[in-house]
Amino acid sequence: MDQNDHFSQPSCADDHEFGNLRVEHALKRMLTAVTPIRGHERINIGKAHGRTLDEDIISTFDVPPHTNAAVDGYSVHGEDLPSREQTAEFAIIGTAYAGRPYRGAVANKEAVRIMTGAPMPQHTDTVLMQEHVERHGAFIRIDARHQIGQNVRQAGEDIGRGEVVLRRGRYLTPADIGLIASLGIGEVGVKRRLKVALFATGDELHSIGEALAEGGIYDSNRHSLRAALMQLQVDVLDLGIVPDDKALLETAILRAARTADVVISSGGVSVGEADYTKEVLASLGTVEFWKIAMKPGRPIAFGHLGDSTFFGLPGNPVAVMVTFCQFVLPVLEKRMGISDRPIRPLLRAKSLERLRKKPGRTEFQRGILREEETGEWTVGTTGKQGS
């Protein structure tokens, strides 16, 4: 007699998640099992946003390239500043602009009108903010509030010549693109695009536009996953819906594994009689089926089909997005070669309801986040959390 005739299968309804992997342990095992893809290309910085840097960006000059004024004002010799409770006068002898520096000599008790970013005139070392001086025709008068070296940006203050400003493995943000451009660099080496194949399984699934048969539902998982993938700079191969047919499933998986670095399926990872994913994958690759101590998203398949990484996600739409965010996304980022991972900030919010969960597992609950007039963040449940 089969053992299952006496003992029921574990499920997310159990009081305890005995023998199941904790969320953090499952993710650690996944990340340990994958490596970054090989291959790179050189592209224009205008197309580099969201790509993974595959080289160090090194400055070939100082930034700023010259000592310059940090504010609009007057450039003077710091030694001419008045001492406590005294004043001093300076004769204005010229003007310095950003891009048009003042070339003449500046003697003691002389001042050059200077604009923000303009190179400091020779031998001057201090800028008097224009709001802090009294101007009388061709002269200015100041009090003792000023200090030597004030309002001056030194050459190389931001970036020194030869300094590494961005390291290989950086996920390139808009600010990074601007930084690279400021160094006069127009092309960068980046990792090639990750290729991700995607399909959904199930006889009950219908494509949008088809009439629903009895017991049928429209496929939403593939669309939500594809939208999530499109936020990354990856190439997506959408293989559509695969029926609960062993031969068709094997064909789809083989095609996906031949063309993609990562294969993602949804549905077919439970213990149902028509869920062929486990049987097919066992014959094609090295794939583990895990029960993770979490809700939703308890059953998940992970492994390798040749050089491809495989994810078999649950069929429940909420579980699909939870498992994508918790497991698939970090693995995709490692495969993309991202070592400087984008920060996903957490918010501290006050719950408007009591939250309950079963011991021993992580639960992800759907909520509605709001910022109150007081500036406090609150979160309330969307209602029932069942599948």
Side-chain angles (χ1 to χ4, degrees):
M1 186 175 292
D2 192 278
Q3 184 180 11
N4 291 332
D5 291 339
H6 294 284
F7 302 101
S8 62
Q9 293 283 342
S11 77
C12 59
D14 295 341
D15 287 338
H16 296 275
E17 297 290 306
F18 179 76
N20 292 346
L21 274 175
R22 293 175 64 91
V23 171
E24 61 271 22
H25 295 162
L27 178 59
K28 183 177 180 179
R29 288 177 62 172
M30 292 178 186
L31 292 175
T32 301
V34 299
T35 56
I37 56 173
R38 296 181 179 180
H40 65 274
E41 58 181 330
R42 293 199 68 80
I43 62 174
N44 185 279
I45 60 170
K47 299 179 180 180
H49 173 234
R51 301 294 295 273
T52 307
L53 195 59
D54 200 42
E55 63 183 6
D56 291 342
I57 301 297
I58 301 173
S59 177
T60 59
F61 53 84
D62 288 334
V63 179
H66 46 257
T67 302
N68 65 91
V71 297
D72 292 343
Y74 298 87
S75 178
V76 299
H77 294 274
E79 63 188 32
D80 293 333
L81 297 179
S83 56
R84 183 179 299 178
E85 297 182 358
Q86 293 183 337
T87 62
E89 285 192 350
F90 297 81
I92 303 170
I93 62 171
T95 303
Y97 299 92
R100 282 191 290 152
Y102 180 80
R103 301 294 185 185
V106 183
N108 288 96
K109 296 296 184 177
E110 290 182 339
V112 173
R113 179 82 168 99
I114 194 167
M115 306 303 169
T116 302
M120 293 291 289
Q122 189 176 6
H123 303 310
T124 64
D125 58 8
T126 301
V127 174
L128 312 172
M129 186 180 296
Q130 64 181 12
E131 292 87 354
H132 295 165
V133 307
E134 297 177 14
R135 180 162 180 172
H136 303 281
F139 293 87
I140 58 171
R141 180 183 292 115
I142 63 171
D143 56 24
R145 77 178 75 182
H146 305 280
Q147 296 179 343
I148 296 176
Q150 68 182 16
N151 302 320
V152 174
R153 295 185 292 214
Q154 300 297 322
E157 185 176 293
D158 294 332
I159 301 170
R161 181 194 300 267
E163 183 179 340
V164 177
V165 295
L166 295 173
R167 295 195 178 276
R168 175 179 295 166
R170 173 83 172 182
Y171 171 90
L172 291 174
T173 66
D176 295 333
I177 302 302
L179 176 57
I180 294 170
S182 74
L183 299 176
I185 298 173
E187 288 188 347
V188 291
V190 297
K191 283 283 188 183
R192 68 169 175 84
R193 286 179 181 269
L194 191 73
K195 299 177 181 177
V196 182
L198 174 67
F199 63 90
T201 65
D203 288 339
E204 76 279 13
L205 298 181
H206 290 64
S207 295
I208 296 173
E210 295 180 349
L212 287 179
E214 184 177 358
I217 59 173
Y218 286 116
D219 171 28
S220 63
N221 289 342
R222 194 163 45 90
H223 293 280
S224 57
L225 286 171
R226 185 170 59 196
L229 290 168
M230 292 305 292
Q231 295 184 83
L232 305 171
Q233 291 284 2
V234 301
D235 292 331
V236 180
L237 173 64
D238 190 341
L239 299 181
I241 299 171
V242 180
D244 290 321
D245 181 283
K246 192 173 177 180
L248 293 177
L249 181 60
E250 181 173 344
T251 299
I253 292 175
L254 285 173
R255 179 188 173 192
R258 282 195 300 265
T259 57
D261 304 298
V262 178
V263 180
I264 304 173
S265 73
S266 66
V269 292
S270 67
V271 294
E273 292 182 2
D275 292 334
Y276 298 113
T277 304
K278 184 174 183 178
E279 183 179 352
V280 172
L281 290 173
S283 66
L284 298 179
T286 304
V287 180
E288 296 185 71
F289 284 77
W290 291 342
K291 292 182 176 67
I292 301 177
M294 64 182 288
K295 179 185 179 181
R298 186 170 178 275
I300 190 171
F302 171 79
H304 301 283
L305 302 170
D307 293 329
S308 297
T309 302
F310 178 82
F311 280 98
L313 305 183
N316 172 260
V318 179
V320 162
M321 294 313 300
V322 170
T323 50
F324 178 87
C325 292
Q326 296 300 315
F327 303 117
V328 180
L329 183 55
V331 170
L332 290 178
E333 289 175 344
K334 183 170 181 181
R335 294 235 61 192
M336 292 168 68
I338 299 174
S339 55
D340 190 354
R341 190 170 179 264
I343 295 174
R344 297 182 178 90
L346 298 176
L347 287 176
R348 179 180 293 274
K350 178 181 178 181
S351 176
L352 300 178
E353 293 94 12
R354 284 186 173 273
L355 301 179
R356 296 180 179 178
K357 77 175 189 69
K358 294 184 177 180
R361 77 178 175 199
T362 301
E363 294 190 11
F364 298 90
Q365 299 197 14
R366 286 157 279 171
I368 300 173
L369 184 69
R370 293 188 179 90
E371 184 179 12
E372 305 297 337
E373 293 182 358
T374 60
E376 179 185 40
W377 289 96
T378 61
V379 62
T381 179
T382 59
K384 294 182 178 179
Q385 300 291 315
S387 298

